[in-house]
Amino acid sequence: VQLLEFGGGLVQPGGSLRLSCEGSGFMFSNYAMTWVRQAPGKGLEWVAVISGSGDPKYYADSVKGRFTVSRDNPINKVYLQMNSLRAEDTAVYYCVKDWGLDFWGLGTLVTVSS
Amino acid sequence: DIQMTQSPSSMSASVGDRVTITCRASQGISDSLAWFQQKPGKVPNRLIYAASRLQSGVPSRFSGSGSGTEFTLTINNLQPDDVATYYCLQRKTYPWTFGQGTKVEI
């Protein structure tokens, strides 16, 4: 099993960024995928989850209405579209396999700063 | 939202000790609780799921117990490799919520 996140970087407040995560080594479409983030020096925060079929999806209150999770099963990818970014969204974003969070990617750093 | 409160926030123990970390939920979550270990600079790793089921490959000195609102992660015979921050997570109700973490040092 492997999860590779892409798309992190520096963005200005109010800007947008799309993270992607490519899974391999498992039947991607059979598994829900979760995003978890960790601000520098802080604890873990659950962000969103999407079922294997793409619906349903659930979000943390802190990102609801600003972030959108989606997936493209034929190419084994899950995405996190992040809009209206704030300084407090600065974190390492982890892509995690399944409802039970049994396997984690290495993460990608998102920095929101002017 | 369900609040998850871990205690202690940090602790220091000796090699060979038994360590107990508690996680309390603000409302009942049945056994919908997992424990994760995050070593310094590393990615989190699941240790326990469904409150007491040991993840494959995790040493048997780790165990979990509890149901409802109070849960415990126990590390028997603490080893230097166990230095990490430990987090609980409830998946009973959205939004899922993590505890604030317990840092274990030797």
Side-chain angles (χ1 to χ4, degrees):
Chain A
V1 174
Q2 192 169 20
L3 295 171
L4 291 175
E5 299 97 335
F6 303 93
L10 175 64
V11 61
Q12 292 189 338
S16 297
L17 208 59
R18 188 175 84 154
L19 306 182
S20 61
C21 169
E22 182 172 3
S24 60
F26 62 102
M27 190 63 71
F28 188 79
S29 60
N30 284 359
Y31 291 90
M33 296 298 295
T34 302
W35 289 95
V36 174
R37 69 184 181 183
Q38 186 169 35
K42 302 298 184 183
L44 302 173
E45 181 185 13
W46 174 76
V47 174
V49 64
I50 183 169
S51 71
S53 66
D55 187 57
K57 312 170 188 179
Y58 301 96
Y59 298 92
D61 294 342
S62 58
V63 307
K64 200 174 295 183
R66 299 188 300 124
F67 289 13
T68 301
V69 62
S70 61
R71 63 191 298 157
D72 189 341
N73 284 340
I75 60 171
N76 290 359
K77 286 189 175 180
V78 62
Y79 304 99
L80 187 67
Q81 177 67 44
M82 304 184 295
N83 299 330
S84 303
L85 282 161
R86 307 165 180 166
E88 54 264 36
D89 295 318
T90 294
V92 173
Y93 285 74
Y94 294 103
C95 169
V96 193
K97 173 180 163 284
D98 207 5
W99 301 106
L101 283 70
D102 63 356
F103 188 86
W104 297 57
L106 295 178
T108 187
L109 176 63
V110 173
T111 303
V112 184
S113 174
S114 54
Chain B
D1 298 0
I2 297 177
Q3 308 302 318
M4 304 300 293
T5 303
Q6 283 183 237
S7 60
S9 297
S10 64
M11 64 182 302
S12 182
S14 299
V15 172
D17 282 356
R18 170 181 290 183
V19 167
T20 299
I21 299 169
T22 298
C23 187
R24 290 187 173 86
S26 60
Q27 61 190 78
I29 60 170
S30 185
D31 66 349
S32 298
L33 184 108
W35 289 96
F36 297 85
Q37 176 194 61
Q38 187 176 30
K39 296 179 181 180
K42 300 297 185 181
V43 173
N45 178 47
R46 190 174 74 171
L47 299 175
I48 301 286
Y49 63 98
S52 61
R53 296 178 181 268
L54 190 67
Q55 175 73 25
S56 176
V58 172
S60 59
R61 63 178 182 275
F62 291 92
S63 63
S65 64
S67 182
T69 61
E70 187 153 336
F71 301 85
T72 299
L73 173 70
T74 300
I75 311 172
N76 286 305
N77 187 23
L78 187 71
Q79 297 298 301
D81 190 50
D82 301 334
V83 168
T85 300
Y86 295 84
Y87 297 93
C88 62
L89 168 73
Q90 72 80 19
R91 297 191 305 114
K92 180 64 173 178
T93 305
Y94 293 104
W96 295 350
T97 41
F98 284 93
Q100 79 277 18
T102 296
K103 187 174 184 178
V104 175
E105 299 176 314
I106 291 181

